[in-house]
């Protein structure tokens, strides 16, 4: 949002924005808007200025405007960014091209269909499956700081999907479970309270899971929360491989989905 | 969806990647320059290469890197646009690596 | 997929075949992957060398062939690029914990580089014994 006392300025920044109205357009097009330049504005501020003052039909998602909700992800000059974290001053005076997140179907303007991502979060069971069910009366599940540290980084995901927009594997193979879902699955696999690794493995360790990843690493490069999904996936590959050899060499032993 | 058998190929890829990473640079340096620049005689290198441990070394440096190539190439071919080959690529790539391994074993073990 | 919802006509943007030329990180990824061709090439050369172990003249001829040497000169930086990118990624795969903290990833990579230099020195030393 604008500073509390915006200084009138003759400086202007040009935004080239992807438009698509399904009810009237066969093809998308780019619309150019001139937005006043403010030192402290982010791209989201510019989009809201456009919507409020210039063109109320422009459609886009946003919420917290401070980088924690994951709603405002878009392509800014070809890079997946949270538009609330993309500062105009970093691009000015160049034209800023704003497009919907790559590799997702476009519903309207800058809004993409994220159903595929949400389905995959469910497929790979990104929730705690307690090792031991116990009633509330028996108290909390206890966890030491050392145990917490093991999965904490992967728990920082805000589901913004920038990683999916950076991943050329997802772009070419939409059946790929994808970086965030796999990182979150690994987050729960590493959680000491969790006992769901075996169940997750059916999807997580399938061809569409970790094994589709070729470690391009762009997912980790664009992640605004430093989750490092690429790291999570490679570590999962090691676990899956150890499990596989164990099941092949010791077939009568207990099959484990989690490794210490 | 079910657990994949990919681990066997991935572990071969990883082993091959490690072998290529640690041993290829110095070995290329030697095979490209050691004899041609007269640092060692061809006879000397030939004598070394014939020793049993050297044969094992050469075998490992042929076999595992071939599996490394096979796994990587199988995926990169798809990336480059040869999507139609998705079904046959594993057979071509791992098959070639197996062939190379077999040849190397025969040549170095019995040659 | 979500049921019972009227969907408008969504626009699907096609992914170009030359996607890896469109972004520097994608291009560097492709370079890294294509080093496997040079890895394969050198493995084949080693196979050829091995097949000449019974014939010193053929063995020597292969080692002194200018085209073969030129190919190795091209392959060497590619293979070194494989080594560097491989060693740099080891910290992503090898995570070591000391209590609540990870061992510094740079240390993990550095240890691998040290091992690479040490191994190379040992190989060089072994070869030098046959001079």
């Amino acid at each position: 949002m604008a500073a509390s006392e915006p200084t009138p300025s003759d400086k202007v920044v040009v935004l080239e924005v992807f438009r698509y109205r399904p009810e009237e357009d066969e093809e998308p097009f780019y619309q150019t808007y001139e937005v006043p330049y403010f030192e402290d504005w982010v791209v989201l501020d510019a989009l809201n200025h456009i919507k409020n003052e210039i063109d109320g039909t422009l459609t886009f998602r946003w919420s917290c405007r401070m980088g924690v909700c994951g709603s405002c992800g878009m392509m800014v000059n070809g890079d997946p960014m949270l538009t609330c974290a993309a500062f105009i001053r970093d691009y000015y005076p160049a034209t800023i091209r704003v497009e919907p997140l790559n590799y997702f179907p476009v519903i309207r303007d800058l809004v993409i269909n994220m159903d595929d991502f949400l389905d995959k979060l469910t497929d790979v069971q990104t929730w705690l499956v307690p090792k031991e069910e116990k009633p509330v009366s028996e108290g909390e599940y206890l966890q030491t700081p050392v145990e917490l540290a093991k999965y904490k980084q992967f728990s920082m995901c805000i589901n913004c999907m920038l990683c999916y927009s950076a991943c050329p594997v997802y772009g070419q193979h939409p059946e790929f479970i994808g970086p965030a879902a796999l990182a979150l699955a690994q987050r729960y696999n590493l959680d000491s309270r969790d006992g769901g690794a075996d169940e997750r493995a059916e999807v997580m360790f399938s061809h569409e899971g970790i094994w589709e990843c070729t470690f391009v690493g762009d997912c980790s490069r664009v992640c605004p929360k430093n989750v490092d999904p690429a790291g999570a996936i490679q570590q999962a590959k090691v676990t899956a491989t150890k499990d596989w050899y164990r099941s092949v060499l010791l077939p009568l032993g207990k099959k484990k989905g989690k490794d210490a | 969806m079910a657990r994949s058998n990919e681990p066997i190929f991935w572990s071969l890829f990883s082993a091959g990647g490690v072998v290529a990473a640690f041993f290829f640079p110095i070995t290329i340096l030697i095979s490209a320059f050691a004899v041609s620049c007269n640092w060692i005689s061809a006879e000397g290198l030939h004598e070394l290469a014939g020793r049993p441990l050297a044969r094992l070394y050469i075998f490992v440096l042929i076999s595992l890197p071939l599996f490394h190539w096979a796994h990587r190439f199988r995926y990169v071919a798809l990336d480059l646009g040869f999507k139609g080959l998705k079904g046959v690529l594993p057979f071509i790539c791992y098959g070639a690596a197996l062939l190379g391994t077999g040849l190397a074993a025969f040549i170095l073990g019995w040659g | 997929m979500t049921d019972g919802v009227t969907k408008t006509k969504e626009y699907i943007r096609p992914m170009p075949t030359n996607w890896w030329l469109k972004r520097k990180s994608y291009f560097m990824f492709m370079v890294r992957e294509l080093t496997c061709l040079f890895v394969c090439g050198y493995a084949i050369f080693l196979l050829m060398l091995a097949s000449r172990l019974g014939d010193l003249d053929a063995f020597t001829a292969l080692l002194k062939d200018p085209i073969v040497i030129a190919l190795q000169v091209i392959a060497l930086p590619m293979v070194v690029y494989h080594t560097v990118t491989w060693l740099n990624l080891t910290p992503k795969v090898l995570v070591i914990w000391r209590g609540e903290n990870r061992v510094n990833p740079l240390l993990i990579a550095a240890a691998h580089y040290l091992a690479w230099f040490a191994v190379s020195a040992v190989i060089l030393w072994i070869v030098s014994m046959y001079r």
Side-chain angles (χ1 to χ4, degrees), chain A residues 13 114 158-159 170 230 240-241 252 254:
Chain A
V13 64
M114 53 190 285
I158 59 174
N159 293 8
Y170 182 66
T241 301
L252 300 175
K254 192 164 87 98

Side-chain angles (χ1 to χ4, degrees), chain A residues 85-225:
Chain A
F87 284 85
I88 302 276
R89 62 174 181 258
D90 290 339
Y91 301 92
Y92 180 83
T95 300
I96 304 176
R97 198 175 68 252
V98 186
E99 296 159 300
L101 280 182
N102 271 353
Y103 314 145
F104 288 99
V106 184
I107 297 176
R108 171 190 298 281
D109 291 346
L110 299 164
V111 177
I112 49 91
N113 184 333
M114 53 190 285
D115 288 350
D116 186 51
F117 172 60
L118 296 176
D119 288 341
K120 279 159 181 173
L121 285 179
T122 315
D123 289 346
V124 82
Q125 298 184 63
T126 54
W127 51 78
L128 196 74
V129 178
K131 240 186 249 178
E132 12 142 358
E133 289 284 354
K134 55 183 188 180
V136 174
S137 53
E138 278 184 36
E140 314 93 321
Y141 294 93
L142 297 182
Q143 189 170 70
T144 66
V146 169
E147 287 168 331
L148 167 65
K150 293 228 165 30
Y151 66 85
K152 185 168 178 191
Q153 182 182 15
F154 304 145
S155 73
M156 299 314 236
C157 176
I158 59 174
N159 293 8
C160 67
M161 297 170 292
L162 298 194
C163 55
Y164 284 74
S165 290
C167 176
V169 175
Y170 182 66
Q172 297 174 85
H173 310 282
E175 74 277 7
F176 178 40
I177 301 289
L182 290 170
L184 283 164
Q186 181 69 353
R187 169 253 177 278
Y188 286 101
N189 279 0
L190 293 175
D191 192 319
S192 56
R193 303 164 293 178
D194 181 82
D198 241 8
E199 280 178 62
R200 284 188 202 100
E202 289 302 308
V203 175
M204 196 182 170
F205 296 167
S206 69
H207 274 294
E208 296 80 10
I210 55 176
W211 299 114
E212 197 114 49
C213 167
T214 54
F215 206 172
V216 176
D218 259 32
C219 54
S220 295
R221 275 186 203 102
V222 303
C223 176
K225 294 299 176 186

